Amino acid sequence: MRIFSGIQPTGEIHIGNYIGAIKQWIKLQNENECIYCIVDLHAITSDYSPEELKESIINTAIVYLAAGIDPERASVFVQSEVKEHTELCWYLNTVTSIGELERMTQYKEKSKAKKKRANAGLLNYPILQAADILLYDTELVPVGEDQKQHIELSRDIAKKFNKHFGKTFKIPKAKLPEKGARIMSLKNPKNKMSKSGKKGNAISLFDDPKTIEEKIKSAVTDTDNKICYDPKNKPAISNLLVIYSEFKNQTVKESEKELEGVSYKIFKEKLTEVLVESLAPFRKKRKELEKRREVYVEEILSRGAKRANALASSKIVEVRRKMGLIN
Ligand code: AQP
């Protein structure tokens, strides 16, 4: 199967991004044709510093590789290096209604924070995402739960285009992890763990042991001292329990059994230990990759872009032809 997914180079990648997206990517790369993109054109819809963007793009590539993406099995590339993404985005604009875009939760949340100053890119973001996905005849899109609505819209856009211009695009499906599709903030379990969230809300993939310990120590818990999975009544502990289970590679049921009768204090110590141990190889790998960023990492991105370009350029010819444009 053809798989496509991406992450924005907008900050420190956290364990929510890992559990929701990257962990799935790693599993899928063994038996599928995987394309993992660094979506820099999405990132520029938020406030950003042009001086820091390039650095952030390469850092995101390093995260992919350090976390376990194998460039021999998957193509890793930067979105803006394949121009067909923006070209297809324009074509798809013409089959997408403004009403559909205004209904998107992410747009509503992000534009609310901006009041009247929200840029048009924020509204059109899901069309570019649809272009990213449809350009590669993608069948599966491994993402966290927050992106489910955008993938639904990509499906609708593809169906509309196909109806109008004849069968052109595959209809992609979102793939969410069974558990951990929405890892919550350590500071407030009602909010999603996020790169742009409150300080201490997220654990970065490269946090050092001391930082992990401090963040887990100050993570909010629920009343009473029982460790069980009950997201409605015990959202904070349920969230920590999911994180614990994901890094121990065991089911939540198995974790509940293991932690029966254990206090919150001891649970937090155990969680810290598991995170420190699990994230240590990522820190080590990143250190090695940092030294090779100019040659090795950039070479991987350039190879990935070539491969993506080959697929994208033949698809865009088909799209232009179907739309009656001159090739
Ligand atoms: N808390 C989360 N739990 C599970 N999955 C998550 N994802 C994000 N947060 C969680 C998944 O990670 C992938 C990449 O996300 P993105 O870079 O496109 O941006 P995002 O969803 O907007 O992530 P952040 O961390 O919340 O960034 P900011 O703060 O910049 O908006 C996606 O598959 C997403 O579902």
Side-chain angles (χ1 to χ4, degrees):
M1 264 198 286
R2 177 83 53 78
I3 315 281
F4 179 95
S5 195
I7 294 184
Q8 302 179 72
T10 43
E12 296 260 334
I13 292 187
H14 52 73
I15 57 172
N17 301 132
Y18 177 73
I19 296 170
I22 300 174
K23 208 173 164 202
Q24 299 200 77
W25 299 3
I26 294 164
K27 266 196 209 138
L28 288 164
Q29 70 183 349
N30 295 327
E31 280 163 21
N32 300 282
E33 188 185 353
C34 296
I35 305 172
Y36 298 138
C37 188
I38 295 156
V39 289
D40 55 344
L41 298 175
H42 285 282
I44 59 174
T45 58
S46 302
D47 295 336
Y48 77 102
S49 144
E51 293 77 36
E52 287 168 18
L53 184 61
K54 184 165 184 219
E55 183 85 1
S56 196
I57 291 168
I58 304 293
N59 285 343
T60 306
I62 290 178
V63 174
Y64 286 12
L65 302 173
I69 300 303
D70 178 354
E72 299 305 322
R73 290 172 192 266
S75 303
V76 177
F77 76 103
V78 180
Q79 185 186 27
S80 63
E81 293 200 305
V82 180
K83 306 285 182 263
E84 285 79 359
H85 287 248
T86 41
E87 184 177 344
L88 181 58
C89 175
W90 181 253
Y91 301 152
L92 298 182
N93 260 280
T94 65
V95 295
T96 311
S97 73
I98 296 170
E100 283 174 301
L101 297 171
E102 283 174 338
R103 274 198 294 279
M104 294 294 112
T105 309
Q106 183 175 294
Y107 170 70
K108 285 198 251 178
E109 282 171 2
K110 294 206 168 174
S111 62
K112 200 160 109 194
K114 295 261 169 208
K115 305 223 167 78
K116 293 264 178 224
R117 290 175 300 106
N119 65 60
L122 219 45
L123 179 69
N124 292 331
Y125 184 113
I127 309 183
L128 179 58
Q129 191 168 349
D132 299 338
I133 296 166
L134 302 181
L135 193 53
Y136 298 101
D137 285 324
T138 303
E139 290 165 85
L140 268 194
V141 190
V143 283
E145 207 245 332
D146 61 326
Q147 292 301 323
K148 202 174 151 202
Q149 195 185 31
H150 286 172
I151 312 303
E152 283 299 321
L153 181 60
S154 298
R155 289 167 61 84
D156 292 344
I157 292 174
K159 284 180 196 164
K160 233 195 261 178
F161 189 101
N162 287 350
K163 198 165 164 221
H164 230 78
F165 299 107
K167 185 155 177 15
T168 309
F169 297 119
K170 284 217 165 119
I171 311 298
K173 269 196 196 138
K175 187 178 183 311
L176 272 56
E178 268 170 44
K179 274 263 147 43
R182 192 175 186 84
I183 298 293
M184 308 312 280
S185 156
L186 299 180
K187 293 289 180 194
N188 179 356
K190 286 197 181 114
N191 297 336
K192 184 181 85 123
M193 182 177 284
S194 156
K195 294 189 215 106
S196 56
K198 207 167 149 189
K199 193 165 179 271
N201 97 92
I203 296 200
S204 144
L205 280 196
F206 303 120
D207 273 345
D208 59 55
K210 185 109 199 73
T211 309
I212 295 174
E213 189 188 350
E214 281 162 9
K215 285 183 181 172
I216 295 296
K217 240 186 206 158
S218 67
V220 297
T221 51
D222 306 298
T223 49
D224 89 29
N225 219 358
K226 196 166 169 240
I227 296 164
C228 63
Y229 184 72
D230 178 0
K232 198 158 166 255
N233 299 308
K234 294 173 69 78
I237 284 297
S238 300
N239 187 43
L240 297 181
L241 199 54
V242 170
I243 296 172
Y244 184 74
S245 309
E246 283 300 314
F247 281 97
K248 278 214 89 173
N249 286 318
Q250 62 188 26
T251 64
V252 169
K253 277 252 160 306
E254 284 166 340
S255 299
E256 278 179 325
K257 204 159 172 226
E258 179 201 331
L259 298 163
E260 220 177 292
V262 165
S263 68
Y264 284 171
K265 184 171 175 287
I266 301 291
F267 173 39
K268 281 188 166 185
E269 282 169 16
K270 279 175 166 285
L271 177 57
T272 302
E273 203 178 292
V274 167
L275 284 170
V276 167
E277 204 175 288
S278 308
L279 300 182
F282 298 169
R283 281 197 305 279
K284 185 165 173 261
K285 187 90 197 283
R286 180 172 77 160
K287 245 189 198 159
E288 290 162 21
L289 289 163
E290 286 287 0
K291 290 182 215 144
R292 306 168 70 197
R293 60 191 291 142
E294 252 95 65
V295 184
Y296 180 66
V297 179
E298 291 193 8
E299 165 59 29
I300 286 169
L301 292 177
S302 144
R303 240 192 305 138
K306 258 191 211 132
R307 166 85 186 122
N309 229 318
L311 296 170
S313 56
S314 80
K315 190 75 199 176
I316 210 80
V317 168
E318 183 190 347
V319 174
R320 279 195 210 124
R321 189 167 40 79
K322 294 263 173 67
M323 292 185 83
L325 298 162
I326 294 171
N327 271 309

